[in-house]
Amino acid sequence: MADTATRTPIDFSTHPDRYRHWSIDVDGTIATLTMAVDPEGGLRDDYELKTNSYDLGVDIELYDAVQRLRFEHPEVKAVVVTGGLDKIFCAGANIKMLAGATHEHKVNFCKFTNETRNSIEDATAHSGQTWIAAVNGTAAGGGYELALACDEILLIDDRSSAVSLPEVPLLAVLPGTGGLTRVVDKRFVRRDLADAFATRNEGVRGQTAVDWNLVDAIAPASSFAELVAGRANARAASSDRPDAAAGVELTPLEVSITDDRLAYSNVTVDVDRGLGTATFTIAGPGTTQPATGEALVAAGTDGWLFATARELDAAILHLRFNETEIGTWVFRTIGSPDAVATAEDVCAAEPDHWFVREVRLFWARVLKRLDVSARTLVTLVEPGSCFAGVLAELVLVADRSFMLEGTWEDHDEPPPPATIRLTAANGGWFPMSNHLTRLRTRFWGRDESYVAASGLAGKDLVAADALAAELVTFTPDDLDWDDEVRLMLEERNSFSPDALTGMEANYRFVGPETMETKIFSRLTAWQNWIFQRPNAVGPDGALQRFGSGSRPDYDHRRV
Amino acid sequence: MADTATRTPIDFSTHPDRYRHWSIDVDGTIATLTMAVDPEGGLRDDYELKTNSYDLGVDIELYDAVQRLRFEHPEVKAVVVTGGLDKIFCAGANIKMLAGATHEHKVNFCKFTNETRNSIEDATAHSGQTWIAAVNGTAAGGGYELALACDEILLIDDRSSAVSLPEVPLLAVLPGTGGLTRVVDKRFVRRDLADAFATRNEGVRGQTAVDWNLVDAIAPASSFAELVAGRANARAASSDRPDAAAGVELTPLEVSITDDRLAYSNVTVDVDRGLGTATFTIAGPGTTQPATGEALVAAGTDGWLFATARELDAAILHLRFNETEIGTWVFRTIGSPDAVATAEDVCAAEPDHWFVREVRLFWARVLKRLDVSARTLVTLVEPGSCFAGVLAELVLVADRSFMLEGTWEDHDEPPPPATIRLTAANGGWFPMSNHLTRLRTRFWGRDESYVAASGLAGKDLVAADALAAELVTFTPDDLDWDDEVRLMLEERNSFSPDALTGMEANYRFVGPETMETKIFSRLTAWQNWIFQRPNAVGPDGALQRFGSGSRPDYDHRRV
């Protein structure tokens, strides 16, 4: 299969001035985000993005827009997403793009689009910024799934515009960007109607779409704008976002990228191709950090807390798409635990300040990206590190952690022994997709141990303490450290990456499941399976045959 | 890949007298089930079942034993499962069997073994029959997963016997028979220790196995029997099963199998290969049915309620394994709704009678098999049918249902219009794997509609009533019936079976997830994906290379 996507590094940075597919129009408390995809603007040149179909490049712009609306526009209380082409809202993921993509690109593309749609729901639920879909034309497949991520779906009633999920009948794949899950678990569409809906190419329109609860309201063209404005204003009226605050401009991230190194200001990533590892080194704050919300705004993208989240986010996306053979991510920190704890204190001091809240919610989303990254996560807690509060989440996120007992023996002036410090941050600031904290998840089913560990908040725990509190996996001393860590990394690199991905995806989400975890487990895992099946991706499969004039040839054996 | 398993029809009927791999020894209230697999007794002849490794044939015997212990042995209050070979408890699924099996056989094999292990947990939880694993030797992979299905795991402490999940490091597949899920969600093993455990070929033994909570207790060989007996007796003492009741012998099912037909006494299945359908026709009771528990025992396997469950169970398993190209199962009933409601009344009259309870729990398991069957389920509610109570579950289980409005126009003496009758059975007798009833699942998120539908219990609802109560999908009249039903079945047969499987698996389990649904979704879907990946099943993959002396050659790209 042709695939240039994995050869040219994918760049996730963009700016509204450079958007080719979206435009943002802010009018008072309402923003309108309009999709008008440039057919020639695809990431690869073997497909055209016709009829508002999208590829990763289109979704990178959408993600950028979501971020800018939250950070640069505190005054925006409702976001209307709509289509900018005649009679078309959005046609979903481009089929030729899917047909020509590698398996890992398809899977990562879906994961990223899912994360962006989850972030739209996060804005509605936690940020006072309600998303509304103004479906002013056909919304097919991923187009309807984009609408499903909004809190309200308004459909134009013009006898032609329909919502549909035609993936199963037309393409032999699933509506895998949350569609199946949200239809039944968010909109509570009855399962047999949902079945009828998702097997009907032409979809459902008009009053039936309302009756089946596929949309919230319909209006003819003559009053559609009025309906949309009315709903947007109503939702904006109940928002707790500030009326007159200045936003924080998302300045371009500065990064130096060389063959084996990615260097931002606070986050550096070193790739070891022999070992299959990428080592993230995160530097704690080197200067005094803002203590109030307004000071945090004034620091803008230079503040350590916000800058580090942005850099970590960018590094994760870069590695996922551009370094697929690097299967293990190792996390290290350098700095002062006190400085980290002080830097995050602003979240406790002014939790309801709009920008403080946004920074905290952003950290939560970045950490969730790690939970669903198909990479082994290893954290090394060494002397001189600063795993406190927000950075202690990197210990809890890991599949395996090592903490050095004692300090380096061969240093003339060895740094003090490594410590871990839990803070209020670990008690609820960054819930996982399962709606539990990482600390609660770690102690699932063992309440006593959970209470004991939680009770250590504020204390600097050395290796023996952290081991006793069950916060780390192993605590080798200086004599064993290098061998033990290297052995683990070499061993990991010798295993099948697929088996590791499946194992990690099962272990990381213990306890309750939520709509989000269902999307990343049940729905995504089935979609990944289907993305391997000849009926979808084989030479006679539906993705290859689509648009060729000849029908796919299916192997009818069921599992 | 060579696979004779799909060519020779697989027969699920067996009897302890014919077991080649297991033996049942009942001593008072304790049964001991011993595994000693005959290496030559595999279902195919291209592998040997060495070291207590198993294939489907071994698991068919285990399923038979589980059923007989429940029905034939009301006096058995605890079941000890142990190994009958020197130093070996069980080595898990046979690797050469897996390497040579078709994808659909592997998936169905895993599904069936999962269902059997779930039924072991069901016996412990609901039937007063507690399963205890006496791990008297190595328990590897599926062997340890069998132990995990038991309520207690006792491990011999002999410096060699270990429990292990070596699938990831050795075979590049998952411990897919519930292992990953049960380790963290049932035994609450901390995720990083669980990770260390499942990547360690040699597993964990002795006190460490207790410390990590992989087992409940250890004892040296000299006192192991004493430990096992003590635990079994203690658990038996708290059972509510009767002390002196006669069991119900599971007589062989009588069935006539021809090319396109499967005929039991109450259940008939007709296969239409052109349409890709198997039509189940279930006859309601033709005679007066037992009204008390003791009368139900006296009727034994001839009683309609029990016989029908057994026949449906057998038909499902036959079709899953032997008719993989038949993608749609259609359900019809013939008989009197009153007779069905009267027959099931015994479950309301004597819910705690051991055999009544067993029959109800068995129906629950059979219906759960339908929920996880990778087939489209369609129910046709026609004049002369008897969709009441337990059989009304077949309407609720369906992906799509049709109910005839009015009656057949061309009959001289047309039967009365079709009805559906909800009873107490639909209110809680047969919970799904998500721990909800099918009625509750159907109305997930819509409490008012749920209450309204529930309020109609006891009433015979004609098509208009059933449609208004949202119990059926479509209600064509005689004029449209044939075309509408045929069109739907033809359409279904034209779709990719894989996409349908994925869609149905997502729609059927709305709302909460449980350990069981996690096993059938997250774990199974990932395993199915891995079962398609070259790293596992390709010519250089781990399953093919295992035992060859040459190491697998992995593609290291992560998704």
Side-chain angles (χ1 to χ4, degrees), chain B residues 331-351:
Chain B
F331 294 92
R332 300 172 66 246
T333 60
I334 297 179
S336 147
D338 283 337
V340 174
T342 307
E344 70 176 28
D345 261 352
V346 66
C347 296
E350 294 191 50

Side-chain angles (χ1 to χ4, degrees), chain B residues 264-314:
Chain B
Y264 301 90
S265 62
N266 304 321
V267 176
T268 310
V269 181
D270 292 288
V271 172
D272 181 333
R273 298 190 189 280
L275 209 49
T277 60
T279 301
F280 291 65
T281 305
I282 299 165
T287 58
T288 305
Q289 293 297 310
T292 67
E294 282 315 299
L296 200 67
V297 169
T301 52
D302 292 333
W304 178 86
L305 200 60
F306 189 33
T308 307
R310 292 184 74 204
E311 295 171 8
L312 196 51
D313 192 51

Side-chain angles (χ1 to χ4, degrees), chain B residues 400-474:
Chain B
R400 204 84 73 87
S401 60
F402 296 85
M403 184 169 183
L404 191 98
E405 166 85 55
T407 189
W408 306 122
E409 298 294 332
D410 58 349
H411 284 221
D412 285 343
E413 291 179 54
T419 59
I420 291 173
R421 189 194 303 179
L422 299 178
T423 70
N426 314 108
W429 294 3
F430 313 116
M432 296 173 58
S433 292
N434 62 7
H435 294 177
L436 303 178
T437 63
R438 283 177 193 79
L439 199 64
R440 191 75 198 77
T441 297
R442 185 172 186 80
F443 293 103
W444 184 246
R446 300 185 305 124
D447 292 351
E448 242 176 83
S449 305
Y450 169 68
V451 170
S454 301
L456 298 171
K459 295 191 167 63
D460 284 315
L461 308 171
V462 296
D465 303 331
L467 189 70
E470 301 193 48
L471 294 172
V472 293
T473 321
F474 300 117

